[in-house]
Amino acid sequence: MEKNTYCVTVGEEKRSYEEGTSYQVIARDFQKDYSHDIVLAFVDGRLQELHKTLQADCAVEFETTGGSAGHKTYKRSMSLLLVKAIYDVAPREAIGKVRIHYSVSKGYYCTIEGDVTPDQAFLERVEARMRQMVEEDLPIRKRSVHTDEAIQMFHKHGMYDKERLFEYRRVSKVNIYSLNEFEDYYYGYMVPSAGYLKYFKLYPYDEGFVLQMPEMSEPEVVPPFEPQNKLFQVLKESTRWGDMQGIETVGALNDKITGGDATELVLVQEALQEKRIAEIAGQIASRPDIKFILIAGPSSSGKTTFSHRLSIQLRANGLVPHPIAVDNYFVERDETPRDETGAFDFECLEAVDVKLFNRQLTELLAGKEVVIPEFNFVAGHKEYGNKPKKLGENDVLVIEGIHCLNPRLTESLPDAHKFKIYISALTQLNVDEHNRIPTTDGRLIRRIVRDARTRGASAQRTIRMWPSVRRGEERNIFPYQEEADVMFNSALIYELAVLKPYVERLLFGIDRDCPEYVEAKRLLKFMDYFVGIGSEMVPMNSLLREFIGGGCFHL
């Protein structure tokens, strides 16, 4: 039977292809026009994997590893390649579980439970097997099976985390990916074959190892391995908290919720955070020279609520805290630098009047009275209507701002008087042992909920602005996080179950024809894994209240 011929429009170019031609084949004809490897295709605005085939006339835009969706696809596919290689190299009976935990030094920190030691020699064998599969360009196949069949299959393979996860799956079908005989589940799209996965390196680290991969800005370059030891220890401690409660994955969290243990889970998590905040306050109180407590962290970390709760604990230790926001030291609007698009760049350090900030804090340290400015964001200038401030013997300043860990912000202040805190929502929960939850997803979901409640902003707008927010964090916050004296993880293991009903209705409000719909669809699929719990269980002083509202602090 003769096949139909269809017109494919890519940019200004039109080409004809037979019905059933894969987008992978079509992509090869256009690869020369792209700087990075094509890994996905937008077909009439709908994101598709490259193994999908042509069925009608269409407009196609290709997504490369230099785009957000393409970069996620590359890293997700690398996880499959890694796990397959480990099972090829080590005796299957020696492996209890391969766990992909969290980001470390632009890669994934992984551990192997069982009788396998991931030392240099073992990792060299794993890496050699991975490169062999890349060289052979093994196909990554996809098949759809009934959820009941998937549950039975994962039980047979000893992947009990996935078995537990799909007990709560409402859809009837599950997509399974395979490399040769090895089958696994991955949340999101994959590349069509191992030949796309050329750039990676394995490094032994701590009790496991790191799978180092390129950044989105340079998809063909594997950056040097630069472990951030303070951040890693916080992530490791958070994972221990979850493991202590038997909650490593979403399936285990759902078991707790449906088993009637949600209230205890919430209270234990809140108690663990309060204990940590009290410990930080105790550290500060034990050092009488500390006068400036500097708090920094990325967007939606809960910095404001944390500073309030820390202040309460400082008072319990006999100190008198005074909050100061670095945002009140913005330069006058007409002096604000502009970014490459010509818009005001409020996130760069040059947008802050660093000289005034240092002069006033130096005067306070010397015992002088100072009038702290308050920035009028409508008029675009500083105003001085506040009462004068003077530091007493037990007074401390609790200073919050994105640049607080940057030494240039407080260059005139003696280090002996500073205590630096880095706060972030470092998600310790994973979908299952091979599908990690990026910390950026947790923060984005928090921000979507908060922006809608406090600013009347749509989920579409928040998603659209998120890449710009992330670029600012990479430039102004993350390079200085290891400068901190302590780090605080504001993520709560139960929070996505609470945020679920808030964020779902906002994401459903994004139209299919919007560019942000692809990300909204991905997040909706992700939230579908969770069994929701009511917000009435969340204490009034919880960090989560900063996002869902109903808290006891005036934010």
Side-chain angles (χ1 to χ4, degrees), residues 176-373:
I176 303 296
Y177 291 93
S178 62
L179 264 172
N180 282 351
E181 84 298 340
F182 182 76
E183 294 186 307
D184 205 352
Y185 170 77
Y186 286 89
Y187 132 68
Y189 291 144
M190 306 284 270
V191 299
S193 66
Y196 288 76
L197 307 173
K198 300 184 285 287
Y199 312 107
F200 64 91
K201 182 71 179 168
L202 300 182
Y203 294 94
Y205 183 60
D206 197 68
E207 298 170 350
F209 63 95
V210 170
L211 168 61
Q212 189 83 333
M213 293 174 284
E215 296 181 82
M216 187 168 66
S217 57
E218 294 183 286
E220 292 77 43
V221 178
V222 181
F225 178 54
E226 297 175 345
Q228 297 157 316
N229 294 323
K230 289 181 183 178
L231 183 66
F232 175 76
Q233 290 304 322
V234 174
L235 286 162
K236 192 174 177 182
E237 178 188 45
S238 298
T239 300
R240 250 194 325 264
W241 283 2
D243 291 355
M244 269 176 8
Q245 296 177 66
I247 306 174
E248 300 174 4
T249 61
V250 174
L253 173 64
N254 290 339
D255 282 352
K256 286 279 186 185
I257 293 169
T258 57
D261 297 328
T263 301
E264 180 181 320
L265 170 64
V266 169
L267 293 175
V268 169
Q269 274 288 291
E270 295 290 345
L272 285 167
Q273 281 202 345
E274 191 62 31
K275 178 184 177 186
R276 182 66 182 127
I277 295 170
E279 288 170 352
I280 294 170
Q283 282 183 257
I284 295 167
S286 69
R287 295 171 54 183
D289 287 342
I290 297 298
K291 288 295 177 184
F292 309 115
I293 301 164
L294 299 152
I295 303 171
S299 173
S300 305
S301 293
K303 295 185 290 292
T304 307
T305 301
F306 171 80
S307 64
H308 280 290
R309 286 177 62 174
L310 179 63
S311 294
I312 290 170
Q313 289 291 346
L314 291 170
R315 288 185 180 277
N317 279 273
L319 299 176
V320 182
H322 300 273
I324 289 183
V326 176
D327 285 0
N328 283 323
Y329 285 88
F330 274 135
V331 298
E332 305 302 287
R333 184 63 46 80
D334 58 1
E335 299 172 11
T336 303
R338 294 181 182 270
D339 62 19
E340 57 276 6
T341 68
F344 287 120
D345 186 355
F346 295 109
E347 296 192 341
C348 66
L349 183 62
E350 290 70 27
V352 178
D353 193 336
V354 174
K355 286 185 179 179
L356 175 64
F357 183 77
N358 278 266
R359 186 176 76 243
Q360 289 203 329
L361 266 61
T362 301
E363 290 172 350
L364 285 167
L365 190 60
K368 297 180 181 178
E369 279 195 348
V370 169
V371 178
I372 302 294

Side-chain angles (χ1 to χ4, degrees), residues 89 116-128 201-210 225:
V89 167
V116 176
T117 302
D119 55 17
Q120 185 66 49
F122 177 79
L123 293 178
E124 285 175 2
R125 296 204 307 275
V126 172
E127 186 169 322
K201 182 71 179 168
L202 300 182
Y203 294 94
Y205 183 60
D206 197 68
E207 298 170 350
F209 63 95
V210 170
F225 178 54

Side-chain angles (χ1 to χ4, degrees), residues 430-449:
N430 280 346
V431 174
D432 58 44
E433 63 265 46
H434 302 156
N435 286 271
R436 61 180 297 275
I437 298 175
T439 59
T440 50
D441 278 0
R443 292 193 293 109
L444 174 57
I445 288 166
R446 281 181 169 190
R447 180 149 179 168
I448 288 170
V449 172

Side-chain angles (χ1 to χ4, degrees), residues 40 47 85 109 135 143 174 181 278 384:
L40 297 169
L47 193 61
Y109 175 68
E135 184 68 26
R143 67 187 182 101
V174 174
E181 84 298 340
Y384 292 87

